[in-house]
Amino acid sequence: MPRYEKDSKITLLGEQRLVNDVLKVLTKYPATKVVEFFKDLNLNFPRQLRIQTLKAIFRDEVFATRQERHNLADEMNYRLSWFNQFTEVQLVNLFKFYKQPELEQEFLDLLWLNILENITDRNINENSLLQIIKDAEEHTKNTPNTKEDIISYNKTLDLLFYDEKDHIDGLIQEQIRPVLYRSSTITEIRELGKKYGVNVPSRLKKSELIEIICQELKERNEYTEEIEADLNKMNIILIQRYAKNNDIKASTELKKEEVIEYILSNATETKEAYFVPSPTVYSVEEIEEPEMVEEVIEEPVVEEEPIVEEEPIVEEEPIVEEELVVEEEPVVEEKTIVVTEKQVSRKAFDITSVERTDLNIVEYHGQKAKEFAPITEYSDELEENKVTTKALDQKEETISKPKKNIFLRILFVLLTLVFFIAIVIILYALFTPNGVPSVDKHLGFLKTIIDFFRNLFH
């Protein structure tokens, strides 16, 4: 199959046209005229052509939505988890959620590219294809600003697409039951029924309700003609009460699963192959975890998928590895081995000169001549060494001071004692007519001193 691109060319009757110019007019051509054109040619297309186009357009949007609502208990997020199995009706209705004109135009372009490829493979008459292009060009000239609602456009084109055998809206019965039950609404399911000519009633008739009850009784081997006759005599309320008392799920109000079965049993596409499903199909216990978006993205049909697959590679860029090396730099033992960009920028600095300066500062005694010391990144360490040296000198002086103080105190006491004795002798000599007593008369001398002080105080 040839693959058309917007910048490629298409040749019709020897005339070359740019594909992008053809798309600009075909995508604006009314859907009703498109249907008329292909019906006249008795030409239609497989439904999968449009389904795959829709999935390709919405895939990235669905992925982004699921990522945003990943941690939310959101009904739409759960429904989108079934995106990979969506029916055509569900896919078209996504335009109601993603209201983006650019997305709609992208869909129209891709849809017509796929239609042109399909036509080329089927060898359609070039005159016919050239005719619709010219008609579209004429329409665009007359009404350049007209644009159809994208959902109405797709509904009009429904007549051009057909299902494979035993399929309905792109899925077989076994697939469509769980998909619709878990990811669609009753309103949307009824809409699907109308698409295939089945108008699901809002309420069951009395005869339809009795038929459901009798069918259940037959499966239990409890059915008798007498019971059916009694049911026909009852009114709707009594029939519903009978069903409830006998644990039969039957009501005039159709539930979601009953709407699905009504469509499958009446639609032309599935009526012949219809079968009653297993009771577990609609049971709560059988509900599985919804599919992850990653599984949806890996579908081989989509060619734009590599954008999502490349996301994890971002974490392994070489830049991150370089940052890790820089973080390990502070290891002190490896200073002489590790070479980083910071060390290269300080290449002119000599570490050995700083070490020699440290030793000189510690060992030097006396006053050192003033000079401009080189400023280095180790200046803080030098200041610390100076403070440490000064503290040591002060400690030595403090230790030597107590020894000097003790000697001076003893000397002071002795001098004071001698001085006091000298004063006493001088005073005695002044007040004694005989002068200083001799050594031989020291006892009398002492007695005289005592008498002197006694007379002084008396």
Side-chain angles (χ1 to χ4, degrees):
M1 176 183 291
R3 177 68 181 177
Y4 288 118
E5 299 291 344
K6 288 185 177 181
D7 57 352
S8 60
K9 294 183 179 180
I10 183 172
T11 303
L12 298 173
L13 299 178
E15 180 182 355
Q16 281 193 341
R17 291 173 178 266
L18 189 65
V19 172
N20 190 43
D21 294 336
V22 174
L23 293 178
K24 286 180 180 179
V25 295
L26 288 178
T27 55
K28 294 180 181 179
Y29 201 47
T32 52
K33 295 186 177 182
V34 173
V35 172
E36 290 177 3
F37 171 79
F38 286 113
K39 282 184 69 176
D40 291 341
L41 295 177
N42 197 23
L43 192 66
N44 55 8
F45 309 94
R47 194 173 306 282
Q48 286 299 323
L49 183 148
R50 183 163 60 168
I51 287 177
Q52 296 306 325
T53 302
L54 289 164
K55 285 184 177 180
I57 295 302
F58 284 118
R59 193 171 304 282
D60 290 342
E61 298 297 328
V62 170
F63 175 77
T65 302
R66 295 221 61 209
Q67 289 291 91
E68 293 171 1
R69 305 185 178 201
H70 180 65
N71 295 323
L72 300 178
D74 183 74
E75 180 182 354
M76 188 60 184
N77 187 29
Y78 177 79
R79 290 179 61 191
L80 291 177
S81 67
W82 293 86
F83 170 80
N84 201 37
Q85 288 80 37
F86 267 10
T87 65
E88 189 179 52
V89 167
Q90 289 176 294
L91 290 168
V92 171
N93 283 340
L94 285 178
F95 283 114
K96 296 178 182 179
F97 186 75
Y98 298 105
K99 298 178 180 179
Q100 303 176 21
E102 298 83 3
L103 199 65
E104 296 174 6
Q105 187 59 48
E106 187 179 353
F107 163 74
L108 292 172
D109 290 342
L110 185 57
L111 177 65
W112 275 101
L113 279 174
N114 291 333
I115 289 175
L116 289 175
E117 290 178 5
N118 186 278
I119 290 174
T120 303
D121 286 347
R122 296 162 74 170
N123 296 322
I124 187 176
N125 191 297
E126 292 186 9
N127 286 317
S128 300
L129 183 55
L130 188 59
Q131 183 61 45
I132 189 176
I133 293 174
K134 289 181 177 181
D135 291 344
E137 289 175 342
E138 186 67 23
H139 173 80
T140 304
K141 286 181 181 180
N142 297 332
T143 54
N145 297 322
T146 57
K147 183 179 180 181
E148 288 187 75
D149 175 72
I150 193 65
I151 295 179
S152 300
Y153 182 89
N154 276 283
K155 286 183 178 181
T156 305
L157 294 184
D158 282 343
L159 296 174
L160 297 181
F161 298 96
Y162 64 89
D163 275 296
E164 299 177 24
K165 185 179 180 181
D166 298 331
H167 284 62
I168 182 170
D169 217 40
L171 301 176
I172 59 175
Q173 293 186 55
E174 290 88 340
Q175 294 172 328
I176 201 170
R177 285 186 173 104
V179 171
L180 292 179
Y181 184 69
R182 290 160 174 77
S183 64
S184 189
T185 63
I186 291 183
T187 301
E188 192 173 57
I189 297 171
R190 289 180 181 275
E191 180 184 341
L192 187 148
K194 290 180 180 179
K195 179 179 178 179
Y196 296 96
V198 179
N199 291 316
V200 182
S202 56
R203 298 173 65 89
L204 290 177
K205 298 177 182 178
K206 178 180 177 178
S207 58
E208 293 172 331
L209 186 60
I210 293 174
E211 184 180 352
I212 293 173
I213 294 173
C214 291
Q215 183 63 36
E216 179 66 23
L217 293 174
K218 289 177 182 179
E219 292 178 3
R220 298 179 184 180
N221 294 323
E222 298 176 0
Y223 170 79
T224 61
E225 293 181 357
E226 289 76 8
I227 293 176
E228 184 175 358
D230 291 337
L231 289 173
N232 284 319
K233 296 176 183 179
M234 300 178 187
N235 57 32
I236 291 290
I237 297 176
L238 292 176
I239 293 173
Q240 288 180 324
R241 185 176 300 172
Y242 176 88
K244 183 177 180 181
N245 293 337
N246 289 272
D247 196 22
I248 299 174
K249 294 180 180 180
S251 173
T252 54
E253 300 291 337
L254 290 177
K255 299 178 182 179
K256 185 185 289 188
E257 60 269 30
E258 293 171 339
V259 174
I260 295 172
E261 295 305 317
Y262 190 95
I263 294 172
L264 295 179
S265 60
N266 290 279
T268 304
E269 288 77 2
T270 55
K271 183 165 53 176
E272 293 182 1
Y274 176 78
F275 60 90
V276 178
S278 169
T280 59
V281 171
Y282 299 114
S283 62
V284 177
E285 292 79 6
E286 292 296 318
I287 295 180
E288 302 174 355
E289 290 293 329
E291 290 186 352
M292 300 303 294
V293 177
E294 288 78 2
E295 295 178 8
V296 175
I297 294 172
E298 290 175 359
E299 186 180 355
V301 178
V302 181
E303 297 180 358
E304 298 178 357
E305 181 180 343
I307 297 174
V308 179
E309 292 179 351
E310 291 176 358
E311 288 184 358
I313 300 177
V314 177
E315 299 177 359
E316 300 177 0
E317 290 183 356
I319 298 174
V320 178
E321 295 178 0
E322 291 179 2
E323 291 178 357
L324 293 176
V325 174
V326 174
E327 290 176 358
E328 295 176 358
E329 181 185 350
V331 179
V332 178
E333 292 79 5
E334 301 296 331
K335 279 185 178 179
T336 57
I337 298 174
V338 179
V339 179
T340 62
E341 293 179 1
K342 293 183 179 179
Q343 291 175 327
V344 173
S345 64
R346 299 193 301 267
K347 198 171 183 180
F349 181 76
D350 186 4
I351 189 66
T352 58
S353 64
V354 177
E355 293 177 353
R356 288 197 297 272
T357 304
D358 287 347
L359 292 174
N360 291 337
I361 291 172
V362 174
E363 295 176 358
Y364 183 82
H365 295 281
Q367 187 174 3
K368 193 174 182 180
K370 294 183 179 180
E371 60 181 4
F372 291 100
I375 298 176
T376 68
E377 63 177 297
Y378 297 95
S379 57
D380 294 338
E381 296 178 8
L382 297 178
E383 291 297 328
E384 292 178 1
N385 289 335
K386 289 180 181 180
V387 173
T388 304
T389 304
K390 186 176 180 181
L392 290 173
D393 292 340
Q394 292 176 353
K395 186 174 182 181
E396 291 177 0
E397 292 176 2
T398 305
I399 294 171
S400 61
K401 280 181 179 181
K403 294 180 181 180
K404 296 178 181 179
N405 291 339
I406 294 172
F407 175 75
L408 291 175
R409 287 179 184 178
I410 295 172
L411 182 60
F412 178 76
V413 172
L414 291 175
L415 292 175
T416 303
L417 183 60
V418 172
F419 177 74
F420 178 75
I421 293 172
I423 293 297
V424 172
I425 294 172
I426 292 170
L427 290 175
Y428 177 76
L430 291 175
F431 292 97
T432 304
N434 295 328
V436 179
S438 63
V439 178
D440 296 333
K441 298 178 180 182
H442 63 278
L443 293 174
F445 168 70
L446 292 174
K447 183 177 181 299
T448 303
I449 293 174
I450 295 171
D451 292 338
F452 169 77
F453 282 102
R454 285 177 178 175
N455 294 328
L456 183 65
F457 290 100
H458 288 288

